[in-house]
Amino acid sequence: MTPAGKRALLISGAIIALAGAGSYAATRYALHHKLTLDSYGNAVGGSFRLMDSTTGTMTDQTFKGRWMVVLFGATHCADEACVPAMQAMTTALNAVDPGGRKAVIIFVSLDPDRDDAERLRQYGESISPRVVAGTAAPFALADLAKEYHAPIERVNDPEWTYAMRMSPQFVVMDPQTRYRGTVDAHADAATMTEALRTIMATTADK
């Protein structure tokens, strides 16, 4: 390799290293800075800021103008309940929002120690294009889970050592980030579809 080629290779390596360091720094910042939540006057739900699956941050304002159905869990999900729940919700959303532009599933991981950005990206992509996954620092997650009335329960698991229990319901927020109701996370797709139709129709009437 010529001296010029070696120099170009070194420069490329340095750029890649700096980019990686930047992503890592962004991830650690998102996971270790406490953020003030705003309920917006909702009885359930409100603002959020999460490290998303691209090591950036996402907030409730990122999705303003779209319905959000919010579920708490982890990629290591107790009883492997999270994937079926989001698959069923995807089917329900496809029925009420066939264009795929009006609604999104927000999956909040309660296991930031294991659910880094890359794992969350792969997990969400394996379920549905509608799934946007994110996480935060443990203390921030505790505040957010309380805001969304989602219990945090860690259980023993023979394969993974521990797993996180999925929240029992999806919290439905309208395009203005107002709480509109819940959908049973253990329901089948048909039941979820009817629940969403009722929630969205009731909102449209107001």
Side-chain angles (χ1 to χ4, degrees):
M1 183 181 290
T2 65
K6 290 181 179 179
R7 192 161 50 249
L9 184 62
L10 287 172
I11 292 171
S12 297
I15 291 172
I16 292 170
L18 285 171
S23 293
Y24 177 81
T27 299
R28 303 323 298 170
Y29 183 90
L31 289 177
H32 288 90
H33 284 72
K34 188 171 179 64
L35 297 152
T36 302
L37 301 176
D38 187 342
S39 71
Y40 300 143
N42 290 306
V44 180
S47 69
F48 61 80
R49 182 182 294 271
L50 301 167
M51 178 202 79
D52 70 14
S53 56
T54 63
T55 70
T57 57
M58 63 177 180
T59 74
D60 54 286
Q61 295 303 301
T62 304
F63 305 100
K64 191 168 184 178
R66 283 186 278 177
W67 288 85
M68 295 181 289
V69 285
V70 185
L71 183 73
F72 289 74
T75 63
H76 296 82
C77 188
D79 304 321
E80 298 185 353
C82 296
V83 171
M86 285 187 281
Q87 288 174 334
M89 180 54 76
T90 295
T91 299
L93 288 175
N94 287 344
V96 299
D97 173 33
R101 297 182 179 181
K102 297 180 180 178
V104 62
I105 298 170
I106 306 296
F107 180 66
V108 183
S109 170
L110 297 170
D111 190 11
D113 289 338
R114 294 188 293 194
D115 288 347
D116 59 17
E118 180 60 17
R119 184 173 182 85
L120 289 172
R121 182 188 68 78
Q122 293 178 356
Y123 187 75
E125 288 180 355
S126 71
I127 300 169
S128 166
R130 288 188 183 271
V131 176
V132 181
T135 191
F139 53 77
L141 286 172
D143 289 345
L144 184 60
K146 183 177 180 180
E147 182 178 290
Y148 277 79
H149 294 203
I152 299 178
E153 186 178 356
R154 175 170 162 164
V155 298
N156 293 328
D157 186 276
E159 180 180 358
W160 299 326
T161 305
Y162 72 89
M164 304 303 295
R165 187 81 69 190
M166 179 182 74
S167 54
Q169 56 199 16
F170 287 91
V171 173
V172 182
M173 309 296 291
D174 75 10
Q176 288 73 48
T177 321
R178 292 176 295 194
Y179 169 70
R180 292 304 182 187
T182 61
V183 177
D184 183 354
H186 296 282
D188 59 26
T191 302
M192 289 185 182
T193 301
E194 289 308 307
L196 287 175
R197 288 192 193 282
T198 299
I199 291 171
M200 291 180 177
T202 301
T203 301
D205 292 339
K206 291 182 178 180

